[in-house]
Amino acid sequence: MFFKEFIVVLALATVLYNGVHADHCAYVATKDCAFIPDRQQVCGTNQQSYRNSCFLAKAYCADNTIHKAHDGPCAVTTTPSPVHGSEVALDIFCLDLIYISCPTGGVQICGNDGKFYENVCEFDKARCFHRDLKDDGTNCV
């Protein structure tokens, strides 16, 4: 199972989406959310409780108007503003991506932090820890 997921992550890490980012929803579609150990329910903005963030990410990928309202079942409100569904999908993607070694080579990406990243895989790994990181394309030295 790990090897299959590694290949999927590796393949997705090399695919460009909107010119820069891997398509996180394509990756989330491959996940079997029932086997993710996270059992903390989350509430969607559609007022449906999801077993974990993975199931919510799948819901967002099927309907991009669904976001995370708060942690816990929908009967309890603890977070004042929703978390965008794309962030939840990125979280699921990053859970696996951070544990793989990126391939060498590829097209360098210039981040808005002024650094060059060797390829889209390394860029997406950095985005897992710095969510405001974007492809700048012009300000790297």
Side-chain angles (χ1 to χ4, degrees):
M1 181 64 103
F2 173 78
F3 183 73
K4 177 185 166 203
E5 288 181 359
F6 172 78
I7 295 299
V8 171
V9 169
L10 190 58
L12 286 173
T14 59
V15 173
L16 296 180
Y17 180 72
N18 288 337
V20 178
H21 306 317
D23 184 351
H24 304 120
C25 284
Y27 180 73
V28 168
T30 69
K31 297 296 286 181
D32 186 347
C33 297
F35 290 103
I36 292 182
D38 180 10
R39 301 274 188 234
Q40 175 161 353
Q41 285 188 338
V42 292
C43 178
T45 52
N46 60 348
Q47 295 305 305
Q48 180 174 339
S49 295
Y50 294 91
R51 180 174 170 184
N52 58 35
S53 292
C54 182
F55 283 109
L56 175 64
K58 282 185 180 276
Y60 163 77
C61 292
D63 176 356
N64 67 3
T65 65
I66 299 173
H67 306 290
K68 178 178 168 183
H70 57 80
D71 290 324
C74 289
V76 179
T77 302
T78 58
T79 303
S81 62
V83 175
H84 198 277
S86 64
E87 290 295 314
V88 178
L90 181 60
D91 288 342
I92 299 302
F93 178 77
C94 289
L95 285 174
D96 290 335
L97 182 63
I98 61 174
Y99 292 107
I100 69 162
S101 296
C102 289
T104 57
V107 177
Q108 282 189 336
I109 296 174
C110 175
N112 61 343
D113 59 355
K115 296 179 185 175
F116 272 115
Y117 294 89
E118 184 175 347
N119 53 41
V120 70
C121 179
E122 293 294 346
F123 181 77
D124 274 346
K125 270 189 170 185
R127 284 190 62 231
C128 289
F129 296 102
H130 306 287
R131 296 299 172 93
D132 57 341
L133 183 61
K134 305 255 185 285
D135 176 16
D136 188 298
T138 58
N139 291 330
C140 288
V141 289

